[in-house]
Amino acid sequence: MAHLNIVLAGAAGQGVQSAAQILGKTLQRLGYHVYTTQDYQSRVRGGHNFMRIRFSDRPLLAAVKPIDYLLALNEESLDIHLPLLTADGLALCMDEDRGDTVDARLRALSEDIGPTAAKGAKFVGVKLLSMLMTAIGFSPEVLKESVKSQFGKRLKPEVLQANLDAIEAVARSMNAADIHSLPFAPAQTDEHLFVTGNECIAMGMIAAGVGVYAGYPMTPSTSILNFLAGAGPRAGIAVEQVEDEIAALNLAVGAAYAGARAAAGSSGAGMCLMSEAIGLAGITETPVVIVDAQRSGPAVGMATRTEQSDLLFMCHASQGEFARAVLAPALHEDGFYLAAEAFNLADRWQTPVILMDDMAYADAIRTVDEFDPTQVTIDRGAIAPEPNDVTVLRRFEPTESGVSPRAFPVLSKWLVAVDSHEHDEVGHLTDNIENRNRQHAKRLRKLAGLVAEMPGPEIVGDADGTLLLCWGSTAGPLLEGAQRLRDKGHKVGVAIFRYLYPMNVEKIAAALSPAKRLLTVEGNELGQLGRLLRMETGIAVHGHIAKTDGRIFTVDDIVELIEPRLGGER
Amino acid sequence: MKSPNDYDHFAPEWCPGCGNFDILVALKQALYDLKIESNELILVTGIGQASKIGFTIKCNLFDGLHGRALPAALGIRLANHTAKVVSISGDGCFFAEGGNHFIHTMRRNADITVLAGVNRVFGLTKGQAAPTSAHDYKTKIHLDGTGAEPLNVCRLALVAGATFIARGFSGEQTQLTELIKQALTHRGAAVIDIKSPCVSFNKINTYAWFKQRVQPLGEDHDVTDWNAAMRAAEETEERIPTGVIYRVERPVFGDHLRALQDGPIARRTTDFTPERVRPFFAQFK
């Protein structure tokens, strides 16, 4: 696929993110499809951070390794990333950062170019961006307009002017031999949104009518807390940063009982603290949505690194038996629509619904088609009709589906009692044998209804060759990687599981049965999707491809890891 | 309601002589006197004998996890800040398992009435030490005493930021009813440390033990003076001052949230159509 891959690298605090933000937004506004990933450490200053900005005239689903342009904000960045620079690529840096690097592809900019007001570390990013934009054939006006629109209001007028003058001077200083026009034109499409995975989820929650959200800051879930908190005053969402994740989910369950659409979010360690309250939502039959933005574990693990190792945990967290659903968006768009659907499933089945993403998905910024709120429906499930007088609600009346109509306390004349103990039809605790059997069976009947609603995996590419089974962020690189493998003559398809639990045996068997070989590709060592599949459906996969170093799957990783496993069948 | 007994729901199942019977009577009387209707009230309870008061009153009930009543109560208040929310539980629930939530609920000054039944022992699990048990209190687990200072409920509430703090005794029915009424009408986090003997498991802090020590605060006690409140709160062993210890006005949690200004979120949920997300797209273009 025709694309360019740019890497911006430097230490924390050097402005890698701001420069990448300007570049990504500029390319988006020019009409390109953009896919950006961030690789950073859990520190405020120093270390090594980099961002990949890949763009094309066609939609992009993942990052790639070979670098066409490297923008190095310090000397270390040259050492780290030069090995991945393509033969006809260019490395751009300031003269003082070149060290003793000798490379024909290196272009070092003298500090003397540009106005004296634009000397120093704060201007390195914009100067390197000007070199890049000139090298790929844009006039300096493009970058100047972008800086003005994105930073014009935040910068002092004289600082803004120094930036604009520096862009102009650097552009003029570029050697004509280094200037090329892009091999592809901007896409002729409607306006795109340039969003992270977590922003997609947060906006889906807003579309679904979320009213209360609670969390405690933890990478990579914090951006959902941030987004909903920012949207709260305008959209009418009460967002609370609670004392711990135990409070977060208990708060959300309380809010849902009182009638709001409510959610709590965290990462794996926070999920450990939420586990007891997942069971509380189960036995009180309270609809609640829980977001698990996974990162490397166990325990604190690697704070800013990705992993997909919470799957079996999320399917089983909390003791006892109760119905739940576990969903995972694969592509950015899914985050919006699946988050909205999660609330409907929760309300319809009066049960916790867990929405899982992972850091690779949460932080990746991608251009997507504008979401369509008209495709979102709101289904609050069974609600008891209002009584004439104040009356105790038979909140847990056994029904065929297992779902009993609920009501919102104080907003209605129903008196609504729910209990964390086993309870009878009116929510009163009891350990009576017949009641236990009746209520336990009622709650678990919901599982059958949920199973019937669960779609099977989406199959993309060849269904009758080697099928690569995935969920979450692995889907993007697999879709591009499988295409590359097909271009090489391999018979390869991808099965994307968005609805992970409970599993619908018939639909999954029908989708997987044409395949000759099933391989799971996941960010975990144990092949958790394969294990879940075997447990839930009896279907056994033939192998597992793992990546647990905390770094994202690139398209190149996928091809390198999978090609040797294809065993020469062409 | 024609009488306090109209709130009766399930029959209580405590040991004869349990202090919880007296707390229940006082609470029903206070609800009746204040004309709080069953469907206006949400009781939020946890685990323990004191929290079982929740089953005995006909109203809305959220009987949550051990120690987690207060975050659930806060969630209820965020979803519907017009609901009258009362949380009832005991020493273990509020101060052992739920200590962190207690601190932060007080700090927020959430509009929740907290009725803490403090019997200085674990009744439901048969006689272990509570966070409020004395240093030398011996149990099957603490053969040599707890080795820890008893937690002082009123001082903790004061330090954490509660705006109404009182101490009562289940054996002083009239005073307790009055204190509950004041707590229910206070706007903000209101805590009552209710001394309530466990007749089965605490053979030291008995009715007689409490009865000899409780003593109403003098009329000269200034409930707005934090230092005076700390001094009144301090005494729990030789003499136990009862009555309102502290009462001030401070903004209530939720007053600061613009999201709550157009009415209860739970009521507005039907107005939250999917179109409400559209204005957020512009920032990503």
Side-chain angles (χ1 to χ4, degrees), chain B residues 18-20 23 47-51 53 87-95 114-123 130-132 153 168-170 176 191-198 210:
Chain B
C18 179
N20 288 321
I23 300 177
I47 303 301
Q49 291 299 350
S51 78
I53 290 173
S87 187
I88 308 174
S89 203
D91 336 39
C93 197
F94 281 135
F95 306 113
V114 177
L115 304 181
V118 176
N119 54 22
R120 309 188 70 177
V121 73
F122 281 11
T132 45
V153 172
F169 172 43
S170 60
L176 183 59
V191 181
I192 309 181
D193 170 5
I194 306 172
K195 304 300 183 194
S196 164
C198 172
F210 282 114

Side-chain angles (χ1 to χ4, degrees), chain A residues 292-464:
Chain A
D292 174 18
Q294 298 165 96
R295 75 184 206 195
S296 154
V300 182
M302 295 188 284
T304 61
R305 303 299 172 186
T306 196
E307 203 164 277
Q308 297 180 297
S309 57
D310 295 0
L311 178 57
L312 292 174
F313 173 40
M314 284 298 99
C315 292
H316 300 117
S318 207
Q319 87 283 19
E321 299 169 314
F322 54 94
R324 79 180 78 195
V326 179
L327 319 176
L331 307 179
H332 275 51
E333 299 84 341
D334 300 336
F336 181 82
Y337 299 104
L338 219 50
E341 184 54 23
F343 284 91
N344 287 342
L345 279 174
D347 271 346
R348 205 152 52 234
W349 296 102
Q350 301 180 359
T351 201
V353 174
I354 298 163
L355 190 69
M356 304 180 72
D357 73 344
D358 53 59
M359 189 150 180
Y361 175 93
D363 281 0
I365 319 170
R366 213 193 95 194
T367 43
V368 297
D369 288 338
E370 186 173 302
F371 304 123
D372 181 3
T374 64
Q375 284 186 36
V376 174
T377 54
I378 292 181
D379 176 3
R380 304 260 10 225
I383 307 288
E386 183 67 4
N388 292 327
D389 301 303
V390 173
T391 313
V392 173
L393 178 66
R394 293 177 66 84
R395 170 68 187 87
F396 303 104
E397 182 76 50
T399 60
E400 199 180 322
S401 67
V403 175
S404 332
R406 62 191 188 120
F408 305 128
V410 180
L411 295 183
S412 81
K413 288 183 190 147
W414 288 116
L415 300 180
V416 187
V418 300
D419 200 334
S420 59
H421 302 86
E422 183 58 272
H423 46 257
D424 62 13
E425 287 75 5
V426 295
H428 183 59
L429 96 167
T430 169
D431 60 2
N432 171 281
I433 295 173
E434 288 75 25
N435 179 77
R436 163 65 179 185
N437 290 338
R438 199 160 53 236
Q439 286 294 325
H440 194 58
K442 163 201 168 355
R443 286 191 297 268
L444 286 178
R445 274 202 297 282
K446 298 194 288 187
L447 206 47
L450 259 172
V451 167
E453 276 196 11
M454 292 285 120
E458 181 192 3
I459 308 291
V460 183
D462 301 326
D464 54 350

Side-chain angles (χ1 to χ4, degrees), chain B residues 179-243:
Chain B
L179 292 177
I180 294 175
K181 282 165 71 176
Q182 289 193 44
L184 285 169
T185 48
H186 176 76
R187 202 170 171 274
V191 181
I192 309 181
D193 170 5
I194 306 172
K195 304 300 183 194
S196 164
C198 172
V199 293
S200 293
F201 294 104
N202 193 329
K203 304 296 183 195
I204 294 170
N205 308 114
T206 60
Y207 263 105
W209 188 92
F210 282 114
K211 195 110 195 153
Q212 284 159 14
R213 288 165 173 79
V214 291
Q215 195 179 324
L217 281 161
E219 280 184 12
D220 57 341
H221 175 67
D222 181 359
V223 296
T224 64
D225 181 340
W226 193 87
N227 290 307
M230 276 303 264
R231 282 193 297 278
E234 190 175 6
E235 299 180 75
T236 56
E237 302 299 327
E238 299 311 313
R239 189 183 82 106
I240 304 175
T242 58

